[in-house]
Amino acid sequence: MTEDERAHYLATLLEQDVASPLRQGVSKFEALLKPLVLDGRVTKKTQKDLFEMHQVRNVLVHRRGIADRRFVEACPWLKVKPGGNVTVGHAAWARYFGAVDTYAYELVHRVAAQFGVPRTETGTAMKRKAPRTEKAKK
């Protein structure tokens, strides 16, 4: 096997071992990270936003944005009825972006901690100061 094939094979074995396919949302990834000692705390808000984003993505990609029973049951707080249109407005997009950014930032810090790199910043990636564009500098 190539290096990529070996990595995929090992990841598949790990998924089966921790029953990851039976889990949803962040808990699926955290279950995979636990044997590597990279699991940790994820806020309920981030978990919910990532879960919702995944459900919305599935409806957009696989059902052309038409809600089905599974989607309605998974995300009742969105108050969409079966057959209703699922769209992503700016506010939802910003929440999804923030959740992905926060979780990715946390994962980077977890990996760094495993290699002895101290955590120097607190909070989420969204709290970091954004770089100024050339236009904003003038």
Side-chain angles (χ1 to χ4, degrees), residues 5-130:
E5 290 170 332
R6 278 193 312 268
H8 186 267
Y9 176 71
L10 290 173
T12 301
L13 288 177
L14 180 60
E15 266 189 315
Q16 292 169 354
D17 189 50
V18 298
S20 180
L22 304 175
R23 300 172 188 247
Q24 292 188 346
V26 172
S27 64
K28 179 175 186 163
F29 298 108
E30 291 297 310
L32 290 170
L33 294 170
K34 188 171 184 158
L36 305 171
V37 195
L38 291 173
D39 61 318
R41 192 177 84 70
V42 181
T43 67
K44 293 287 184 194
K45 180 183 180 340
T46 298
Q47 288 179 33
K48 183 179 177 184
D49 288 344
L50 290 173
F51 177 79
E52 179 184 317
M53 179 186 72
H54 180 75
Q55 298 301 315
V56 168
R57 176 253 177 225
N58 285 346
V59 167
L60 292 175
V61 171
H62 300 294
R63 302 212 18 100
R64 294 173 297 181
I66 308 298
D68 59 359
R69 179 190 50 78
R70 181 185 299 169
F71 176 80
V72 171
E73 289 174 1
C75 300
W77 59 89
L78 294 179
K79 296 180 171 70
V80 177
K81 294 184 176 160
N85 290 323
V86 176
T87 59
V88 179
H90 180 74
W93 181 89
R95 277 189 304 106
Y96 302 157
F97 182 88
V100 169
D101 190 53
T102 298
Y103 191 52
Y105 193 69
E106 179 60 31
L107 292 175
V108 166
H109 277 285
R110 291 179 193 176
V111 171
Q114 283 294 1
F115 289 96
V117 178
R119 190 175 193 133
T120 57
E121 293 183 44
T122 60
T124 68
M126 293 296 288
K127 292 180 184 175
R128 294 189 309 265
K129 189 173 181 179

